[in-house]
Amino acid sequence: MDDTKKIQNSADLKLQKTLTGKILAQHLVKGVLIPGEEIGIKIDQTLTQDATGTVAYLEAEVLGIDRARTELSVSYIDHNTLKMDFKNADDHVYLQSVAAKYGLILSKAGNGICHQVHLERFAQPGKTLLGSDSHTPTAGGIGCMGIGAGGLDVALAIGGEPFFLKTPKVIGIKLTGKLKPMVAAKDVILEVLRILGVKGGVGKALEYFGPGVKTLSVPERATITNMGAETGATTSIFPSDEVTLEFMRCVGREDQWVRLEADNDVEYDEIIEIELDKLVPLIAKPHSPGDVVPVSEVEGTKVDQVCIGSCTNSSFKDLVTAAYMLKGKRVNPEVSLTVSPGSMSVYCELAERGYLADLIAAGARILECTCGPCIGQGQAPKSGAVSVRTFNRNFKGRSGTADAQVYLSSVETAVSCALTGVITDPRAMGELREIPMPEKLRMQNALIVEPPGREEAEKVELIRGPNIKPIELRGELPEIVDGRVLIKLEDNISTDIIMPAGIYLPLRSNIPEYAKHVFEPADPDFYRRAKENNGGFVIAGENYGQGSSREHAALCPSYLGVKGVIAKSFARIHLANLINFGIIPLTFKNAEDYNRIDPDDELQIRTADLDNGDLVLKNLTKGVEIPVQHTMTSSEVIRIKAGGSLAYISRSNS
Ligand code: MIC
Ligand code: SF4
């Protein structure tokens, strides 16, 4: 055996003792499990949501996919539910027709937030789940490997193709002790974010272990795995144990339970230890989920708005916690409090047990079971407002108000703020009674539509309203790729800056219209300049494209002719999306070369040079050559030269 092989085998063995490695190994169809190496894995389940789903299914049409080949695929409608005009309504009808034709389960608007519903009804320990939403790792709370991806990757997985990813390193997060009263699972993940920051998880999986694990219920674990996405991690996962079994019994799926955990002699690439009993209530300050401090540090700040819900904190336990704290009290008159239940099952249970009445009587405004304010769909704060939210993202402007100050906290902290009108450490509010979990959470089926059988499905016509425009394919790269620098950006640019959501969500299935808003929060003139220059380049700092999985953040710039992004580093999902839509992703070999490029400079690279990982970027304006590199595999280089994966696959199929 040669040396490289020996090293490979030992890396392989080490990884396979982790829970992450075990699930990857069971699903491996291509490559070797060595951190950093590309592998292909079989996907058991997929999920899409409407804001990414319409385009994913339009792409599935381009790819000629006719029927889901997964064990289970679900299409959720939970982001764009307000239907201010025909656009969203048309999208919903399209999604319903797609679900019937392709054999997908449809979760209609009002049924709940995709990750909450998936956790309750479908996620299974040991399975792989690919979702066109960055918070798909929520399913890790039940021991299911959830990974977020662009819609094209999900469409391919629906068609039975493997999903390709770089094998992650595994960080073991050891939990010891038990949380003190008024300290919540949300504080655990805020602590992880305080330690790792918003890019510390890139290329890694976060795997929880240790004696503290059994003190956390599945929904609490899911809060933690959900927000692991904010570290940039590929996935986050908890073992499947008796607590998992108890949850699966509660939702009527105990037959799907299997025990899963890492081996006793597991060796993680890195270990972070969190003593649960030492944790204090934490809060992420504006405008980054990674800017975490103890609540006590910002105590007394006046609060205008509190929002409870989102895929991070909308479980039965979360909302009963809110109801207990609010019962018989009154929300501070200067605060507007909203509550969005995570699923219809949670909502009904709250109603049946009287908790809903407690929330309403205290002055909480109950919103639909959807993403709502989290994605800027309503409840935009007043100008300059302070909003405390139990959500996972507080990027500037995401709430719909550019100068709002959004803080992220646990339900306990958020309710304390709603009652007092200022940021308050929840421990000052007294102790919370033990929350009684229902023995059974009755699943509500009124808004779930099962697909018809194959024969019926063949007769289904896809219904496309006038706002749904076909996806255009990009042409092959010319020999020389050149153009102007259209914009130069700093570190940690989120997809909310590249392709804002909020009021523009109804344009998700209309790329020509949506593209008019590319980079609008950073530079409202970008669209005009991109058009005038016939595209060009984007220069960025570290962690470019952090946040959502929305492929529109690549698809729309690609539509405007953006040719390449040269950054200090990229976020995982966005990098894949750039390749899918033909935008060349390059990084500086020397980070300080970022300073050798200015807006409007004329840049040039040779397409043939992409065959090497290292290449030269010419800055023709400044007369300098800048060494840059890429991490694309040889097959990704072929695809980018063809105008991106979508263009490549669809031309190869025809
Ligand atoms: C988000 O939280 O940013 C979203 C909206 O859920 C996105 C998906 C999208 O943009 O549609 C995500 O997290 O991937
Ligand atoms: Fe919806 Fe917010 Fe969760 Fe994204 S983060 S899926 S917008 S609730």
Side-chain angles (χ1 to χ4, degrees):
M1 193 188 285
D2 67 30
D3 276 356
T4 358
K5 200 85 196 160
K6 265 192 243 154
I7 294 166
Q8 286 186 356
N9 282 346
S10 69
D12 206 358
L13 278 179
K14 186 172 147 198
L15 189 60
Q16 283 191 37
K17 288 178 188 289
T18 67
L19 175 52
T20 307
K22 284 177 197 297
I23 300 179
L24 287 176
Q26 273 160 10
H27 291 83
L28 195 69
V29 289
K30 211 161 179 201
V32 211
L33 278 178
I34 297 173
E37 295 286 306
E38 192 184 55
I39 48 169
I41 56 168
K42 174 180 175 292
I43 294 299
D44 301 321
Q45 302 188 345
T46 62
L47 72 77
T48 55
Q49 40 87 341
D50 52 308
T52 54
T54 44
V55 160
Y57 296 118
L58 288 168
E59 287 160 4
E61 286 188 59
V62 174
L63 297 171
I65 294 167
D66 57 348
R67 194 79 190 154
R69 293 194 164 69
T70 48
E71 289 173 14
L72 172 108
S73 286
V74 190
S75 170
Y76 291 93
I77 299 178
D78 56 356
H79 281 59
N80 289 301
T81 56
L82 286 182
K83 301 181 179 171
M84 300 301 284
D85 61 19
F86 67 95
K87 298 189 195 73
N88 289 156
D90 284 2
D91 281 352
H92 297 185
V93 174
Y94 171 69
L95 289 170
Q96 184 147 4
S97 66
V98 166
K101 190 156 196 73
Y102 290 6
L104 321 170
I105 292 172
L106 179 76
S107 172
K108 294 185 73 175
N111 190 52
I113 307 173
C114 54
H115 308 302
Q116 219 354 271
V117 177
H118 209 84
L119 185 78
E120 286 167 7
R121 309 184 73 112
F122 304 115
Q124 291 182 37
K127 298 280 180 192
T128 51
L129 164 70
L130 193 72
S132 62
D133 192 281
S134 62
H135 291 105
T136 306
T138 312
I142 209 170
C144 172
M145 179 172 287
I147 303 179
L152 177 59
D153 292 309
V154 178
L156 288 165
I158 292 174
E161 294 296 323
F163 172 61
F164 290 92
L165 73 161
K166 296 236 158 66
T167 309
K169 282 191 171 179
V170 184
I171 302 190
I173 304 189
K174 183 172 181 186
L175 304 180
T176 58
K178 189 174 183 316
L179 291 170
K180 288 262 168 61
M182 290 297 194
V183 185
K186 181 66 163 280
D187 297 309
V188 178
I189 188 60
L190 287 171
E191 173 68 358
V192 172
L193 271 152
R194 194 186 65 74
I195 297 168
L196 288 177
V198 290
K199 66 183 184 72
V202 176
K204 296 172 182 165
L206 309 184
E207 181 168 314
Y208 292 82
F209 73 108
V213 164
K214 62 174 185 306
T215 67
L216 298 168
S217 66
V218 165
E220 289 174 308
R221 296 175 185 185
T223 292
I224 296 173
T225 56
N226 169 283
M227 210 176 164
E230 272 52 68
T231 68
T234 306
T235 189
S236 294
I237 196 159
F238 270 82
S240 167
D241 56 9
E242 279 70 25
V243 176
T244 320
L245 175 60
E246 194 188 316
F247 175 80
M248 295 191 84
R249 226 178 251 134
C250 170
V251 292
R253 298 196 287 124
E254 61 269 43
D255 53 317
Q256 295 174 352
W257 178 77
V258 286
R259 181 181 294 283
L260 278 182
E261 59 197 353
D263 289 346
N264 286 336
D265 58 346
V266 62
E267 265 178 70
Y268 289 106
D269 289 306
E270 208 178 303
I271 291 191
I272 293 174
E273 186 162 343
I274 298 179
E275 295 173 81
L276 297 177
D277 36 359
K278 299 237 169 86
L279 269 189
V280 297
L282 297 170
I283 196 160
K285 294 198 296 180
H287 301 281
S288 168
D291 194 357
V292 176
V293 295
V295 173
S296 54
E297 211 169 279
V298 284
E299 229 174 353
T301 310
K302 188 171 173 340
V303 173
D304 304 286
Q305 182 193 68
V306 173
C307 302
I308 296 174
S310 91
C311 55
T312 319
N313 278 119
S314 57
S315 68
F316 183 73
K317 178 174 186 248
D318 283 325
L319 303 193
V320 175
T321 300
Y324 267 32
M325 290 180 70
L326 288 165
K327 190 179 167 76
K329 301 195 176 131
R330 190 189 152 179
V331 170
N332 185 287
E334 309 255 309
V335 175
S336 170
L337 167 68
T338 59
V339 175
S340 322
S343 73
M344 192 175 159
S345 305
V346 165
Y347 201 6
C348 282
E349 203 68 41
L350 290 173
E352 276 173 17
R353 290 168 186 257
Y355 296 119
L356 199 54
D358 296 337
L359 292 168
I360 297 170
R365 295 165 57 203
I366 313 296
L367 306 183
E368 259 197 312
C369 306
T370 59
C371 302
C374 179
I375 190 59
Q377 288 289 287
Q379 202 62 354
K382 70 171 191 193
S383 300
V386 168
S387 176
V388 177
R389 300 175 161 211
T390 66
F391 306 167
N392 48 36
R393 290 187 175 144
N394 57 349
F395 304 135
K396 202 168 190 319
R398 179 176 162 102
S399 64
T401 304
D403 61 359
Q405 306 287 312
V406 178
Y407 291 79
L408 305 172
S409 79
S410 68
V411 172
E412 286 80 346
T413 302
V415 176
S416 306
C417 301
L419 286 169
T420 60
V422 291
I423 295 186
T424 305
D425 186 322
R427 292 170 302 178
M429 309 296 288
E431 259 191 39
L432 190 62
R433 270 190 290 150
E434 213 32 47
I435 310 286
M437 285 306 291
E439 231 165 72
K440 280 256 170 282
L441 185 61
R442 208 149 34 90
M443 291 298 109
Q444 301 296 331
N445 295 319
L447 294 176
I448 289 269
V449 185
E450 295 279 346
R454 201 175 240 281
E455 224 170 277
E456 271 303 295
E458 270 163 24
K459 295 186 211 138
V460 173
E461 291 291 327
L462 297 183
I463 307 167
R464 284 182 215 86
N467 185 48
I468 302 181
K469 300 284 184 245
I471 308 282
E472 287 179 21
L473 297 183
R474 198 164 171 150
E476 289 178 11
L477 285 186
E479 270 174 39
I480 302 285
V481 179
D482 53 6
R484 271 179 200 286
V485 173
L486 297 172
I487 191 165
K488 184 173 176 183
L489 300 145
E490 66 272 29
D491 290 348
N492 296 319
I493 290 298
S494 74
T495 52
D496 280 296
I497 301 283
I498 307 171
M499 204 57 264
I503 53 167
Y504 301 130
L505 273 181
L507 301 176
R508 284 286 176 103
S509 42
N510 186 340
I511 303 304
E513 278 304 310
Y514 199 20
K516 293 183 177 159
H517 307 285
V518 171
F519 285 122
E520 198 174 87
D523 175 2
D525 207 29
F526 181 87
Y527 173 70
R528 187 196 53 80
R529 250 193 348 275
K531 284 298 248 191
E532 256 175 37
N533 287 287
N534 216 357
F537 288 90
V538 171
I539 305 298
E542 301 281 2
N543 200 25
Y544 178 73
Q546 73 160 328
S548 83
S549 68
R550 68 188 68 148
E551 55 191 350
H552 300 80
L555 188 48
C556 294
S558 168
Y559 176 82
L560 295 181
V562 170
K563 300 169 186 183
V565 179
I566 303 116
K568 291 185 188 167
S569 65
F570 289 97
R572 175 187 65 91
I573 307 179
H574 188 62
L575 175 63
N577 285 337
L578 289 174
I579 300 169
N580 283 348
F581 297 103
I583 297 181
I584 307 168
L586 298 171
T587 50
F588 292 103
K589 268 196 108 166
N590 311 310
E592 59 278 15
D593 282 341
Y594 169 86
N595 302 322
R596 295 167 78 197
I597 305 180
D598 288 311
D600 285 333
D601 283 359
E602 188 77 27
L603 305 182
Q604 185 183 86
I605 56 163
R606 273 166 29 94
T607 299
D609 291 349
L610 289 171
D611 293 337
N612 307 315
D614 295 331
L615 59 160
V616 165
L617 172 79
K618 287 191 182 156
N619 185 336
L620 302 177
T621 310
K622 299 214 164 34
V624 291
E625 295 198 340
I626 298 173
V628 289
Q629 55 197 0
H630 69 76
T631 53
M632 289 183 282
T633 60
S634 48
S635 75
E636 284 172 335
V637 170
I638 294 175
R639 286 187 266 141
I640 203 116
K641 283 185 180 171
S645 308
L646 181 65
Y648 175 75
I649 304 169
S650 74
R651 286 197 200 105
S652 326
N653 284 351
S654 59

